[in-house]
Amino acid sequence: MDQYLELVRRAKHGSADAFADLYQEVYEDLYRFAVYTLKNSVDAQDAVSETVADAFASIRRLRKEEAFKGWIFKILSAKCKRKLKEYANKTLELSDELGEQLAASD
């Protein structure tokens, strides 16, 4: 655990290598969560990529090194929720379009 916390500390101080090592530690769990939530591997990969980019950009604001994994999952969770809302909106758009097409064919 000490090595993990040291990686987080180094990443917070700007070490891209340390962040890359952290990413390798959590990637499979992040991806599994995203696939389970989104039911789409491509969208899951996108969500994880966006999460990692956001986490790298804002890791200096992480307050406690011990909270890294929960913190990055919170970012991923927010991205997955946004994507699920997009899915819902697309469904509504398709339903509206289909309704209009059906009305026009009558």
Side-chain angles (χ1 to χ4, degrees):
M1 187 65 169
D2 289 334
Q3 289 178 328
Y4 179 78
L5 294 178
E6 181 58 28
L7 283 175
V8 176
R9 280 188 207 102
R10 288 181 34 224
K12 282 182 66 173
H13 288 96
S15 172
D17 290 337
F19 190 87
D21 289 344
L22 286 170
Y23 171 68
Q24 286 181 333
E25 292 274 332
V26 298
Y27 172 77
E28 285 184 30
D29 292 336
L30 291 172
Y31 179 71
R32 223 177 282 126
F33 175 86
V35 167
Y36 178 81
T37 303
L38 300 174
K39 310 288 191 255
N40 180 301
S41 63
V42 173
D43 286 345
Q45 289 171 348
D46 289 346
V48 170
S49 295
E50 291 171 15
T51 296
V52 170
D54 287 356
F56 182 72
S58 61
I59 192 164
R60 290 183 180 176
R61 292 185 294 215
L62 177 65
R63 292 184 191 136
K64 295 182 180 180
E65 285 84 8
E66 302 84 18
F68 174 79
K69 194 168 184 177
W71 173 75
I72 199 166
F73 267 92
K74 189 173 181 178
I75 296 170
L76 178 61
S77 178
K79 295 208 175 291
C80 288
K81 284 179 186 176
R82 252 183 253 124
K83 183 55 86 173
L84 290 172
K85 283 182 184 178
E86 285 179 29
Y87 291 168
N89 288 339
K90 284 183 182 178
T91 301
L92 290 174
E93 289 172 13
L94 286 174
S95 295
D96 292 345
E97 289 175 16
L98 183 60
E100 289 172 10
Q101 288 176 353
L102 290 174
S105 67
D106 287 339

XYZ file of all heavy atoms in Angstrom:
858
model
N 0.822 -1.198 0.000
C 0.000 0.000 0.000
C 0.861 1.254 0.000
O 0.489 2.248 -0.589
C -0.939 -0.060 1.207
C -1.947 1.033 1.240
S -3.088 0.890 -0.145
C -4.315 2.052 0.309
N 2.002 1.190 0.649
C 2.880 2.363 0.698
C 3.355 2.773 -0.691
O 3.454 3.960 -0.987
C 4.080 2.102 1.603
C 3.680 2.055 3.072
O 2.662 2.675 3.430
O 4.392 1.401 3.851
N 3.632 1.791 -1.549
C 4.060 2.103 -2.913
C 2.934 2.789 -3.676
O 3.174 3.728 -4.430
C 4.484 0.842 -3.654
C 5.785 0.257 -3.179
C 6.118 -1.019 -3.928
O 5.229 -1.770 -4.335
N 7.403 -1.264 -4.101
N 1.718 2.339 -3.452
C 0.549 2.925 -4.105
C 0.398 4.384 -3.685
O 0.216 5.268 -4.526
C -0.687 2.104 -3.732
C -1.972 2.599 -4.324
C -2.283 2.342 -5.654
C -2.879 3.323 -3.563
C -3.476 2.789 -6.205
C -4.065 3.771 -4.098
C -4.354 3.505 -5.425
O -5.528 3.949 -5.966
N 0.478 4.650 -2.405
C 0.360 6.025 -1.905
C 1.498 6.899 -2.416
O 1.295 8.074 -2.717
C 0.305 6.043 -0.379
C -0.919 5.405 0.251
C -0.827 5.446 1.770
C -2.192 6.081 -0.222
N 2.663 6.305 -2.535
C 3.799 7.063 -3.072
C 3.561 7.421 -4.541
O 3.884 8.520 -4.980
C 5.100 6.265 -2.915
C 6.330 6.986 -3.425
C 6.588 8.341 -2.766
O 6.198 8.538 -1.597
O 7.179 9.213 -3.444
N 2.976 6.511 -5.304
C 2.621 6.813 -6.699
C 1.639 7.979 -6.757
O 1.778 8.883 -7.588
C 2.002 5.594 -7.383
C 2.927 4.489 -7.841
C 2.112 3.316 -8.390
C 3.901 4.989 -8.887
N 0.656 7.951 -5.874
C -0.331 9.035 -5.855
C 0.359 10.353 -5.508
O 0.117 11.373 -6.159
C -1.479 8.734 -4.865
C -2.443 9.909 -4.799
C -2.217 7.464 -5.262
N 1.220 10.327 -4.508
C 1.946 11.554 -4.125
C 2.761 12.090 -5.302
O 2.750 13.289 -5.581
C 2.869 11.280 -2.933
C 2.177 11.276 -1.624
C 3.168 11.182 -0.454
N 2.474 10.569 0.646
C 2.596 9.300 1.029
N 3.439 8.500 0.428
N 1.890 8.828 2.022
N 3.474 11.195 -5.967
C 4.295 11.627 -7.107
C 3.422 12.171 -8.234
O 3.764 13.172 -8.859
C 5.164 10.469 -7.594
C 6.299 10.153 -6.632
C 7.221 9.023 -7.064
N 7.418 8.924 -8.486
C 7.388 7.771 -9.166
N 7.158 6.635 -8.544
N 7.596 7.755 -10.453
N 2.299 11.513 -8.489
C 1.388 11.981 -9.540
C 0.849 13.367 -9.191
O 0.742 14.237 -10.063
C 0.245 10.984 -9.731
N 0.524 13.580 -7.923
C 0.033 14.890 -7.491
C 1.075 15.988 -7.697
O 0.731 17.138 -7.896
C -0.365 14.861 -6.013
C -1.699 14.209 -5.750
C -2.068 14.242 -4.290
C -2.301 15.669 -3.845
N -2.831 15.763 -2.481
N 2.319 15.588 -7.663
C 3.411 16.555 -7.875
C 3.847 16.643 -9.337
O 4.890 17.195 -9.644
C 4.588 16.227 -6.961
C 4.313 16.552 -5.527
N 3.866 15.607 -4.627
C 4.366 17.721 -4.856
C 3.675 16.183 -3.465
N 3.966 17.473 -3.564
N 3.043 16.074 -10.219
C 3.271 16.257 -11.643
C 3.954 15.133 -12.387
O 4.278 15.285 -13.566
N 4.175 14.001 -11.765
C 4.841 12.885 -12.438
C 3.869 12.130 -13.343
O 2.971 11.424 -12.874
C 5.441 11.915 -11.423
O 5.910 10.747 -12.080
N 4.059 12.285 -14.641
C 3.221 11.570 -15.611
C 3.467 10.066 -15.522
O 2.538 9.264 -15.701
C 3.497 12.078 -17.018
N 4.710 9.671 -15.234
C 5.023 8.244 -15.103
C 4.279 7.624 -13.924
O 3.746 6.517 -14.034
C 6.535 8.033 -14.934
C 7.314 8.341 -16.198
O 6.717 8.296 -17.296
O 8.520 8.632 -16.090
N 4.235 8.340 -12.819
C 3.515 7.833 -11.643
C 2.028 7.722 -11.958
O 1.374 6.737 -11.590
C 3.740 8.751 -10.441
N 1.473 8.712 -12.656
C 0.061 8.648 -13.016
C -0.199 7.471 -13.952
O -1.210 6.780 -13.815
C -0.425 9.952 -13.648
C -1.907 9.992 -13.803
C -2.709 10.435 -12.763
C -2.513 9.547 -14.963
C -4.096 10.427 -12.881
C -3.886 9.545 -15.095
C -4.681 9.984 -14.046
N 0.709 7.243 -14.887
C 0.559 6.100 -15.803
C 0.553 4.789 -15.026
O -0.236 3.882 -15.340
C 1.674 6.110 -16.844
N 1.388 4.687 -13.999
C 1.401 3.476 -13.168
C 0.087 3.325 -12.408
O -0.450 2.223 -12.300
C 2.576 3.510 -12.192
C 3.921 3.328 -12.885
O 3.945 2.877 -14.057
O 4.950 3.644 -12.257
N -0.441 4.435 -11.906
C -1.743 4.394 -11.225
C -2.831 3.952 -12.190
O -3.714 3.161 -11.838
C -2.087 5.766 -10.649
C -1.332 6.200 -9.418
C -1.611 7.670 -9.123
C -1.687 5.331 -8.228
N -2.779 4.481 -13.393
C -3.757 4.131 -14.422
C -3.742 2.627 -14.676
O -4.794 1.990 -14.762
C -3.454 4.918 -15.694
C -4.263 4.494 -16.892
C -5.629 4.710 -16.933
C -3.658 3.878 -17.985
C -6.383 4.329 -18.037
C -4.393 3.499 -19.087
C -5.750 3.717 -19.108
O -6.487 3.326 -20.196
N -2.547 2.068 -14.778
C -2.444 0.620 -14.995
C -3.048 -0.164 -13.831
O -3.632 -1.222 -14.033
C -0.992 0.207 -15.192
C -0.440 0.607 -16.543
C 0.998 0.160 -16.733
O 1.746 0.001 -15.778
N 1.374 -0.031 -17.994
N -2.923 0.384 -12.630
C -3.468 -0.275 -11.441
C -5.002 -0.326 -11.458
O -5.592 -1.283 -10.979
C -3.029 0.465 -10.168
C -1.562 0.382 -9.868
C -1.212 -0.865 -9.078
O -2.068 -1.368 -8.327
O -0.074 -1.327 -9.224
N -5.635 0.725 -11.983
C -7.101 0.823 -11.874
C -7.839 0.626 -13.196
O -9.071 0.537 -13.191
C -7.532 2.181 -11.248
C -7.005 2.320 -9.844
C -7.152 3.348 -12.117
N -7.127 0.526 -14.312
C -7.793 0.478 -15.619
C -8.836 -0.626 -15.711
O -9.974 -0.385 -16.121
C -6.788 0.331 -16.764
C -7.493 0.083 -18.071
C -8.106 1.126 -18.748
C -7.622 -1.196 -18.604
C -8.803 0.920 -19.926
C -8.312 -1.415 -19.783
C -8.901 -0.357 -20.437
O -9.597 -0.570 -21.596
N -8.483 -1.850 -15.357
C -9.419 -2.966 -15.519
C -10.691 -2.753 -14.705
O -11.796 -3.019 -15.187
C -8.754 -4.287 -15.124
C -7.787 -4.778 -16.177
C -7.200 -6.132 -15.825
O -7.891 -6.934 -15.149
O -6.062 -6.393 -16.228
N -10.545 -2.256 -13.485
C -11.713 -1.997 -12.648
C -12.566 -0.878 -13.236
O -13.798 -0.959 -13.232
C -11.301 -1.639 -11.222
C -10.672 -2.811 -10.484
O -10.947 -3.976 -10.844
O -9.893 -2.567 -9.541
N -11.919 0.171 -13.734
C -12.654 1.278 -14.352
C -13.434 0.783 -15.573
O -14.615 1.080 -15.736
C -11.700 2.397 -14.778
C -11.014 3.196 -13.677
C -9.969 4.124 -14.286
C -12.018 3.987 -12.861
N -12.750 0.028 -16.419
C -13.374 -0.465 -17.641
C -14.538 -1.400 -17.313
O -15.617 -1.296 -17.902
C -12.341 -1.160 -18.528
C -12.944 -1.703 -19.804
C -13.353 -0.837 -20.812
C -13.130 -3.062 -19.982
C -13.934 -1.326 -21.979
C -13.700 -3.563 -21.142
C -14.100 -2.688 -22.135
O -14.667 -3.185 -23.274
N -14.330 -2.303 -16.367
C -15.386 -3.239 -15.973
C -16.626 -2.477 -15.484
O -17.750 -2.803 -15.857
C -14.864 -4.165 -14.871
C -15.253 -5.593 -15.059
C -14.678 -6.530 -14.012
N -13.274 -6.807 -14.296
C -12.278 -6.638 -13.431
N -12.492 -6.206 -12.223
N -11.044 -6.910 -13.773
N -16.402 -1.465 -14.656
C -17.505 -0.656 -14.144
C -18.240 0.034 -15.290
O -19.477 0.043 -15.339
C -16.973 0.384 -13.148
C -18.017 1.340 -12.658
C -18.815 1.007 -11.573
C -18.206 2.566 -13.272
C -19.788 1.884 -11.112
C -19.174 3.449 -12.825
C -19.970 3.110 -11.743
N -17.487 0.616 -16.212
C -18.102 1.352 -17.321
C -18.882 0.421 -18.242
O -19.988 0.756 -18.675
C -17.031 2.121 -18.100
N -18.350 -0.740 -18.549
C -19.066 -1.697 -19.404
C -20.335 -2.182 -18.711
O -21.395 -2.253 -19.327
C -18.171 -2.897 -19.790
C -18.975 -4.031 -20.391
C -17.098 -2.465 -20.765
N -20.231 -2.475 -17.441
C -21.410 -2.929 -16.695
C -22.487 -1.849 -16.681
O -23.663 -2.138 -16.848
C -21.009 -3.297 -15.259
C -22.177 -3.739 -14.417
C -22.666 -5.038 -14.511
C -22.789 -2.857 -13.541
C -23.754 -5.447 -13.749
C -23.879 -3.256 -12.777
C -24.356 -4.552 -12.886
O -25.439 -4.947 -12.139
N -22.068 -0.602 -16.510
C -23.018 0.500 -16.412
C -23.614 0.862 -17.772
O -24.820 1.059 -17.897
C -22.335 1.744 -15.806
O -21.797 1.388 -14.529
C -23.295 2.895 -15.640
N -22.772 0.944 -18.792
C -23.209 1.440 -20.099
C -23.655 0.342 -21.059
O -24.318 0.623 -22.047
C -22.086 2.263 -20.737
C -21.634 3.489 -19.944
C -20.431 4.136 -20.614
C -22.773 4.486 -19.799
N -23.251 -0.884 -20.815
C -23.603 -2.027 -21.683
C -23.116 -1.832 -23.121
O -23.721 -2.317 -24.057
C -25.122 -2.258 -21.707
C -25.790 -2.319 -20.365
C -25.468 -3.575 -19.628
C -26.345 -3.750 -18.403
N -25.691 -3.479 -17.149
N -22.015 -1.090 -23.274
C -21.465 -0.798 -24.598
C -19.967 -0.616 -24.448
O -19.521 0.323 -23.782
C -22.129 0.470 -25.146
C -21.631 0.846 -26.514
O -20.439 1.067 -26.713
N -22.536 0.936 -27.467
N -19.182 -1.490 -25.078
C -17.730 -1.460 -24.866
C -17.066 -0.203 -25.432
O -16.136 0.326 -24.840
C -17.077 -2.713 -25.437
O -17.263 -2.779 -26.836
N -17.556 0.278 -26.558
C -16.959 1.479 -27.158
C -17.216 2.698 -26.275
O -16.301 3.473 -25.982
C -17.485 1.717 -28.592
C -16.993 3.037 -29.149
C -17.070 0.562 -29.500
N -18.443 2.859 -25.826
C -18.763 3.970 -24.931
C -18.020 3.831 -23.608
O -17.602 4.829 -23.010
C -20.271 4.064 -24.692
C -21.012 4.611 -25.897
O -20.363 5.190 -26.802
O -22.248 4.459 -25.947
N -17.846 2.607 -23.139
C -17.100 2.373 -21.901
C -15.649 2.811 -22.066
O -15.088 3.476 -21.189
C -17.168 0.903 -21.509
N -15.032 2.454 -23.186
C -13.654 2.875 -23.443
C -13.554 4.402 -23.500
O -12.622 4.982 -22.946
C -13.142 2.269 -24.746
C -12.902 0.788 -24.671
C -12.613 0.172 -26.037
O -12.791 0.789 -27.077
N -12.178 -1.076 -26.027
N -14.525 5.031 -24.149
C -14.538 6.498 -24.219
C -14.674 7.111 -22.832
O -13.970 8.067 -22.501
C -15.681 6.990 -25.114
C -15.454 6.706 -26.584
O -14.309 6.363 -26.967
O -16.427 6.820 -27.351
N -15.572 6.569 -22.023
C -15.788 7.104 -20.677
C -14.525 6.964 -19.830
O -14.147 7.892 -19.107
C -16.960 6.390 -20.009
N -13.858 5.823 -19.936
C -12.626 5.615 -19.176
C -11.541 6.572 -19.664
O -10.840 7.190 -18.854
C -12.154 4.145 -19.257
C -10.757 3.979 -18.667
C -13.146 3.232 -18.551
N -11.416 6.738 -20.967
C -10.410 7.659 -21.510
C -10.648 9.089 -21.037
O -9.712 9.783 -20.624
C -10.415 7.629 -23.037
O -10.016 6.381 -23.503
N -11.904 9.516 -21.091
C -12.233 10.870 -20.638
C -11.977 11.016 -19.142
O -11.492 12.053 -18.678
C -13.698 11.181 -20.943
C -14.001 11.319 -22.413
C -15.489 11.414 -22.699
O -16.276 11.664 -21.751
O -15.876 11.235 -23.869
N -12.281 9.977 -18.389
C -12.055 9.989 -16.945
C -10.575 10.144 -16.635
O -10.187 10.959 -15.794
C -12.583 8.686 -16.305
O -13.999 8.647 -16.481
C -12.229 8.589 -14.842
N -9.752 9.373 -17.319
C -8.312 9.416 -17.064
C -7.753 10.788 -17.436
O -6.941 11.353 -16.697
C -7.596 8.276 -17.824
C -6.093 8.437 -17.782
C -8.005 6.940 -17.234
N -8.202 11.346 -18.546
C -7.733 12.676 -18.950
C -8.127 13.730 -17.916
O -7.302 14.566 -17.518
C -8.297 13.047 -20.323
N -9.365 13.671 -17.452
C -9.821 14.628 -16.434
C -9.073 14.432 -15.119
O -8.702 15.405 -14.452
C -11.317 14.501 -16.193
C -12.155 15.057 -17.334
O -11.572 15.613 -18.297
O -13.387 14.926 -17.273
N -8.875 13.183 -14.733
C -8.164 12.898 -13.484
C -6.725 13.393 -13.555
O -6.219 13.992 -12.601
C -8.198 11.397 -13.182
N -6.069 13.168 -14.682
C -4.693 13.632 -14.831
C -4.625 15.154 -14.735
O -3.738 15.707 -14.085
C -4.111 13.147 -16.160
C -2.677 13.553 -16.358
C -1.673 12.951 -15.619
C -2.336 14.527 -17.272
C -0.345 13.326 -15.786
C -1.014 14.903 -17.451
C -0.016 14.298 -16.708
N -5.589 15.818 -15.346
C -5.603 17.277 -15.341
C -5.886 17.859 -13.958
O -5.456 18.979 -13.669
C -6.632 17.790 -16.347
N -6.582 17.105 -13.122
C -6.991 17.682 -11.841
C -6.457 16.949 -10.614
O -6.897 17.219 -9.498
C -8.519 17.750 -11.775
O -9.081 16.467 -11.862
N -5.508 16.059 -10.786
C -5.029 15.256 -9.651
C -4.414 16.117 -8.550
O -4.449 15.753 -7.384
C -4.062 14.141 -10.082
C -3.857 13.177 -8.904
C -2.761 14.725 -10.610
C -3.266 11.865 -9.277
N -3.913 17.264 -8.884
C -3.313 18.119 -7.846
C -4.338 18.575 -6.818
O -3.989 18.961 -5.717
C -2.623 19.312 -8.482
C -1.384 18.870 -9.225
C -0.635 20.003 -9.815
N 0.531 19.417 -10.500
C 1.374 20.099 -11.200
N 1.223 21.391 -11.340
N 2.392 19.509 -11.773
N -5.609 18.535 -7.187
C -6.668 18.938 -6.253
C -7.132 17.795 -5.349
O -7.944 18.012 -4.453
C -7.859 19.500 -7.020
C -7.525 20.825 -7.691
C -8.737 21.400 -8.328
N -9.149 20.526 -9.422
C -9.685 20.937 -10.550
N -9.910 22.204 -10.751
N -10.001 20.091 -11.495
N -6.629 16.581 -5.592
C -6.967 15.449 -4.737
C -6.438 15.721 -3.337
O -5.262 15.996 -3.158
C -6.353 14.156 -5.302
C -6.545 12.883 -4.493
C -8.022 12.501 -4.436
C -5.729 11.762 -5.102
N -7.329 15.677 -2.355
C -6.939 16.048 -0.989
C -6.159 14.946 -0.282
O -5.144 15.203 0.341
C -8.175 16.419 -0.180
C -8.803 17.693 -0.662
C -9.969 18.091 0.224
N -10.693 19.181 -0.428
C -11.985 19.257 -0.513
N -12.737 18.311 -0.004
N -12.560 20.271 -1.112
N -6.673 13.715 -0.336
C -6.042 12.610 0.386
C -5.593 11.541 -0.596
O -6.386 11.072 -1.402
C -7.024 12.000 1.381
C -7.424 12.948 2.487
C -8.354 12.261 3.460
C -8.750 13.215 4.554
N -9.642 12.588 5.522
N -4.344 11.169 -0.491
C -3.797 10.151 -1.385
C -4.576 8.842 -1.293
O -4.768 8.161 -2.287
C -2.316 9.896 -1.081
C -1.379 10.978 -1.561
C -1.246 12.157 -0.595
O -1.778 12.073 0.543
O -0.624 13.158 -0.984
N -5.055 8.519 -0.091
C -5.782 7.266 0.122
C -7.087 7.227 -0.664
O -7.645 6.161 -0.902
C -6.113 7.077 1.612
C -4.921 7.074 2.533
C -4.480 8.491 2.934
O -5.251 9.457 2.793
O -3.329 8.611 3.366
N -7.581 8.384 -1.058
C -8.889 8.475 -1.718
C -8.795 8.399 -3.241
O -9.812 8.536 -3.916
C -9.568 9.786 -1.314
N -7.623 8.149 -3.788
C -7.449 8.191 -5.245
C -8.445 7.303 -5.982
O -9.118 7.749 -6.908
C -6.025 7.811 -5.657
C -5.866 7.714 -7.152
C -5.729 8.857 -7.924
C -5.883 6.484 -7.798
C -5.611 8.782 -9.304
C -5.764 6.396 -9.185
C -5.631 7.553 -9.924
N -8.540 6.056 -5.588
C -9.389 5.124 -6.332
C -10.858 5.547 -6.263
O -11.555 5.555 -7.277
C -9.205 3.692 -5.824
C -9.779 2.657 -6.755
C -9.326 1.265 -6.390
C -9.836 0.267 -7.403
N -9.367 -1.089 -7.142
N -11.335 5.913 -5.101
C -12.714 6.385 -4.975
C -12.949 7.656 -5.766
O -14.000 7.836 -6.396
N -11.952 8.530 -5.768
C -12.029 9.803 -6.490
C -12.139 9.572 -7.996
O -12.996 10.150 -8.664
C -10.795 10.629 -6.141
C -10.601 11.887 -6.892
C -11.275 13.065 -6.724
C -9.629 12.127 -7.915
N -10.779 14.014 -7.594
C -9.770 13.463 -8.325
C -8.649 11.337 -8.517
C -8.979 14.032 -9.315
C -7.856 11.902 -9.491
C -8.032 13.231 -9.888
N -11.308 8.701 -8.544
C -11.341 8.469 -9.992
C -12.626 7.724 -10.388
O -13.188 7.977 -11.454
C -10.056 7.758 -10.499
C -9.917 7.965 -12.014
C -10.015 6.298 -10.125
C -8.553 7.624 -12.567
N -13.125 6.858 -9.495
C -14.404 6.193 -9.776
C -15.560 7.183 -9.733
O -16.530 7.035 -10.479
C -14.645 5.028 -8.806
C -14.163 3.720 -9.351
C -12.879 3.277 -9.085
C -14.980 2.946 -10.153
C -12.423 2.079 -9.599
C -14.530 1.744 -10.675
C -13.245 1.308 -10.402
N -15.470 8.180 -8.891
C -16.516 9.205 -8.837
C -16.560 9.981 -10.160
O -17.629 10.285 -10.677
C -16.263 10.156 -7.666
C -17.386 11.104 -7.410
C -17.142 11.891 -6.134
C -18.305 12.823 -5.878
N -18.137 13.579 -4.639
N -15.394 10.271 -10.705
C -15.325 10.944 -12.009
C -15.955 10.058 -13.076
O -16.766 10.507 -13.884
C -13.860 11.300 -12.370
C -13.290 12.311 -11.380
C -13.769 11.832 -13.800
C -11.788 12.533 -11.512
N -15.583 8.775 -13.077
C -16.121 7.831 -14.059
C -17.633 7.687 -13.910
O -18.362 7.665 -14.905
C -15.444 6.469 -13.929
C -15.957 5.374 -14.866
C -15.760 5.767 -16.333
C -15.271 4.057 -14.567
N -18.094 7.608 -12.691
C -19.524 7.471 -12.451
C -20.296 8.647 -13.039
O -21.339 8.462 -13.680
C -19.784 7.363 -10.949
O -21.160 7.269 -10.695
N -19.784 9.853 -12.860
C -20.439 11.042 -13.412
C -20.462 10.979 -14.938
O -21.466 11.326 -15.570
C -19.726 12.301 -12.933
N -19.392 10.520 -15.540
C -19.334 10.417 -17.001
C -20.322 9.358 -17.505
O -20.982 9.561 -18.522
C -17.918 10.096 -17.463
C -16.961 11.231 -17.131
C -15.828 11.312 -18.060
C -14.984 12.530 -17.770
N -15.637 13.781 -18.086
N -20.420 8.252 -16.791
C -21.374 7.212 -17.185
C -22.810 7.710 -17.050
O -23.644 7.437 -17.920
C -21.161 5.950 -16.340
S -19.649 5.045 -16.754
N -23.095 8.444 -15.999
C -24.445 8.991 -15.826
C -24.794 9.930 -16.968
O -25.909 9.905 -17.497
C -24.559 9.720 -14.491
C -24.659 8.799 -13.315
C -24.736 9.579 -12.018
C -24.699 8.636 -10.828
N -24.681 9.367 -9.554
N -23.830 10.765 -17.361
C -24.070 11.671 -18.493
C -24.351 10.888 -19.767
O -25.238 11.234 -20.546
C -22.864 12.596 -18.698
C -23.156 14.012 -18.275
C -22.004 14.956 -18.538
N -21.431 15.240 -17.223
C -20.174 15.055 -16.882
N -19.313 14.618 -17.760
N -19.755 15.334 -15.684
N -23.602 9.829 -19.974
C -23.793 9.012 -21.176
C -25.158 8.321 -21.146
O -25.840 8.246 -22.167
C -22.666 7.982 -21.290
C -22.703 7.129 -22.535
C -22.737 7.920 -23.806
C -21.405 8.316 -24.310
N -21.504 8.942 -25.662
N -25.579 7.854 -19.989
C -26.897 7.231 -19.878
C -28.004 8.239 -20.187
O -29.004 7.893 -20.816
C -27.092 6.630 -18.482
C -26.252 5.386 -18.182
C -26.383 5.004 -16.711
C -26.624 4.221 -19.077
N -27.822 9.477 -19.784
C -28.794 10.521 -20.123
C -28.822 10.746 -21.630
O -29.882 10.957 -22.214
C -28.456 11.832 -19.404
C -28.834 11.822 -17.955
C -28.522 13.151 -17.296
C -28.827 13.087 -15.818
N -28.498 14.341 -15.129
N -27.640 10.690 -22.261
C -27.589 10.812 -23.725
C -28.377 9.673 -24.371
O -29.097 9.885 -25.336
C -26.141 10.780 -24.224
C -25.363 12.039 -23.993
C -23.929 11.907 -24.495
O -23.678 11.135 -25.456
O -23.052 12.570 -23.918
N -28.223 8.458 -23.845
C -28.970 7.320 -24.380
C -30.470 7.594 -24.295
O -31.213 7.354 -25.242
C -28.684 6.038 -23.587
C -27.316 5.425 -23.705
C -26.934 4.419 -22.828
C -26.401 5.830 -24.667
C -25.691 3.815 -22.901
C -25.142 5.242 -24.748
C -24.796 4.239 -23.865
O -23.567 3.649 -23.949
N -30.912 8.083 -23.157
C -32.335 8.348 -22.951
C -32.823 9.419 -23.920
O -33.912 9.300 -24.491
C -32.597 8.781 -21.513
N -32.028 10.459 -24.118
C -32.413 11.526 -25.039
C -32.486 11.021 -26.476
O -33.376 11.409 -27.227
C -31.457 12.712 -24.942
C -31.642 13.479 -23.647
O -32.678 13.401 -23.010
N -30.615 14.209 -23.249
N -31.570 10.156 -26.854
C -31.598 9.596 -28.205
C -32.847 8.753 -28.400
O -33.457 8.771 -29.453
C -30.344 8.766 -28.479
C -29.120 9.591 -28.747
C -27.936 8.733 -29.086
C -26.709 9.607 -29.299
N -25.530 8.814 -29.588
N -33.229 8.006 -27.386
C -34.438 7.188 -27.466
C -35.648 8.083 -27.677
O -36.507 7.794 -28.508
C -34.602 6.342 -26.195
O -33.451 5.518 -26.047
C -35.844 5.480 -26.265
N -35.715 9.186 -26.940
C -36.831 10.115 -27.097
C -36.849 10.713 -28.496
O -37.896 10.835 -29.116
C -36.758 11.223 -26.050
C -37.036 10.808 -24.612
C -36.793 11.982 -23.668
C -38.447 10.294 -24.465
N -35.682 11.094 -29.005
C -35.603 11.664 -30.345
C -36.080 10.659 -31.385
O -36.836 10.997 -32.285
C -34.171 12.094 -30.662
C -33.708 13.313 -29.894
C -32.228 13.584 -30.085
O -31.608 12.983 -30.991
O -31.681 14.386 -29.315
N -35.641 9.411 -31.251
C -36.060 8.387 -32.204
C -37.564 8.163 -32.123
O -38.223 8.015 -33.142
C -35.316 7.081 -31.937
C -33.854 7.044 -32.345
C -33.214 5.736 -31.887
C -33.704 7.209 -33.843
N -38.113 8.150 -30.928
C -39.558 7.959 -30.767
C -40.320 9.106 -31.424
O -41.325 8.890 -32.093
C -39.922 7.874 -29.286
O -39.348 6.733 -28.722
N -39.857 10.328 -31.236
C -40.505 11.491 -31.845
C -40.447 11.402 -33.364
O -41.440 11.628 -34.050
C -39.839 12.796 -31.378
C -40.086 13.082 -29.905
O -40.985 12.449 -29.320
O -39.374 13.935 -29.346
N -39.256 11.060 -33.887
C -39.097 10.953 -35.337
C -39.990 9.848 -35.897
O -40.635 10.024 -36.929
C -37.638 10.669 -35.692
C -36.713 11.849 -35.476
C -35.258 11.488 -35.729
O -34.986 10.440 -36.356
O -34.400 12.263 -35.278
N -40.038 8.731 -35.202
C -40.859 7.616 -35.651
C -42.333 8.009 -35.636
O -43.074 7.710 -36.574
C -40.615 6.383 -34.769
C -41.345 5.105 -35.164
C -40.943 4.686 -36.578
C -41.018 3.994 -34.188
N -42.749 8.708 -34.581
C -44.134 9.179 -34.490
C -44.481 10.110 -35.634
O -45.563 10.018 -36.243
N -43.573 11.000 -35.974
C -43.805 11.937 -37.083
C -43.903 11.180 -38.415
O -44.728 11.485 -39.254
C -42.708 12.983 -37.130
C -42.760 13.983 -35.998
C -41.533 14.889 -35.959
O -40.723 14.872 -36.914
O -41.382 15.610 -34.947
N -43.029 10.189 -38.584
C -43.053 9.415 -39.824
C -44.350 8.623 -39.943
O -44.921 8.519 -41.023
C -41.850 8.483 -39.896
C -40.528 9.195 -40.142
C -39.352 8.251 -40.102
O -39.476 7.072 -39.772
N -38.172 8.779 -40.429
N -44.787 8.059 -38.851
C -46.033 7.294 -38.863
C -47.228 8.211 -39.160
O -48.130 7.843 -39.911
C -46.241 6.558 -37.547
C -45.291 5.378 -37.294
C -45.497 4.828 -35.884
C -45.506 4.279 -38.320
N -47.218 9.404 -38.556
C -48.313 10.345 -38.801
C -48.331 10.823 -40.242
O -49.392 10.993 -40.849
C -48.187 11.549 -37.838
N -47.146 10.999 -40.838
C -47.051 11.454 -42.215
C -47.481 10.365 -43.202
O -47.956 10.669 -44.286
C -45.625 11.898 -42.513
N -47.344 9.108 -42.813
C -47.700 8.022 -43.750
C -49.191 7.719 -43.730
O -49.671 7.008 -44.600
C -46.900 6.774 -43.409
O -47.292 6.249 -42.141
N -49.911 8.247 -42.761
C -51.374 8.010 -42.697
C -52.127 8.776 -43.716
O -52.048 9.691 -44.283
C -51.921 8.345 -41.301
C -51.512 7.274 -40.299
O -51.193 6.156 -40.726
O -51.509 7.586 -39.100
